[in-house]
Amino acid sequence: MVHHLVARGKSNTCDGDNDANVLLDKMYAPYGYNAFCIQTGLYFGGHDYDTEMENGINRFSWKFVGDGYHNTTRYGEELPDDDPRKASLGTVYRNWHPGPLGFQIASDAFAYVYTTGLLMALEIIEEDMNAGVDLLDRWFDMDHR
């Protein structure tokens, strides 16, 4: 599986109207390509980002803390409340690239996708085992061992 992490972009294709991104998607999708757009997940909850943008508030800019659900990372939760780093860890973006909370959002998305894929594969393997299918014949190309 090939992944592409993009910090910006509201659509699932990370600025899907961008010709270069559409071409990248079409070219590598057959090989398991997937684009992860940090902002996409944020638009589905937390703050009303569209309304705030219309009112001049850009939570994806420098120094905004929190994603609407969390004000710090899991690491930051363990710090004392008076630790100055605690709020800093809740920064979603540091200028144009993700801050600590932004990277936690991305890593959580990767973990979710990989775990979901693993569970799906295990269900298929279990069905094959219950049906008496020889797993080596089904899942491994014996000519390339």
Side-chain angles (χ1 to χ4, degrees), residues 13-136:
T13 55
C14 305
D15 294 327
D17 56 345
N18 179 312
D19 290 340
N21 287 337
V22 172
L23 180 62
L24 187 66
D25 292 347
K26 287 181 180 177
M27 179 83 68
Y28 290 101
Y31 307 106
Y33 171 82
N34 197 350
F36 286 90
C37 311
I38 295 170
Q39 286 183 358
T40 302
L42 295 173
Y43 273 100
F44 284 102
H47 299 289
D48 184 353
Y49 294 96
D50 289 326
T51 301
E52 289 182 342
M53 286 281 212
E54 290 170 8
N55 293 319
I57 300 169
N58 179 4
R59 290 194 179 271
F60 302 119
S61 64
W62 182 255
K63 293 187 181 178
F64 275 92
V65 172
D67 62 3
Y69 297 108
H70 314 95
N71 287 322
T72 192
T73 60
R74 285 185 287 275
Y75 170 78
E77 289 293 330
E78 302 298 320
L79 296 175
D81 288 337
D82 61 347
D83 189 314
R85 193 148 183 253
K86 188 166 190 158
S88 176
L89 290 169
T91 303
V92 179
Y93 283 92
R94 297 210 193 278
N95 57 41
W96 57 270
H97 63 84
L101 188 55
F103 279 114
Q104 180 175 294
I105 292 165
S107 65
D108 288 351
F110 281 118
Y112 177 79
V113 167
Y114 288 137
T115 303
T116 301
L118 176 63
L119 290 173
M120 290 171 66
L122 289 172
E123 287 175 8
I124 294 168
I125 292 169
E126 183 178 34
E127 288 172 10
D128 284 351
M129 289 174 65
N130 291 338
V133 174
D134 183 332
L135 296 181
L136 291 177

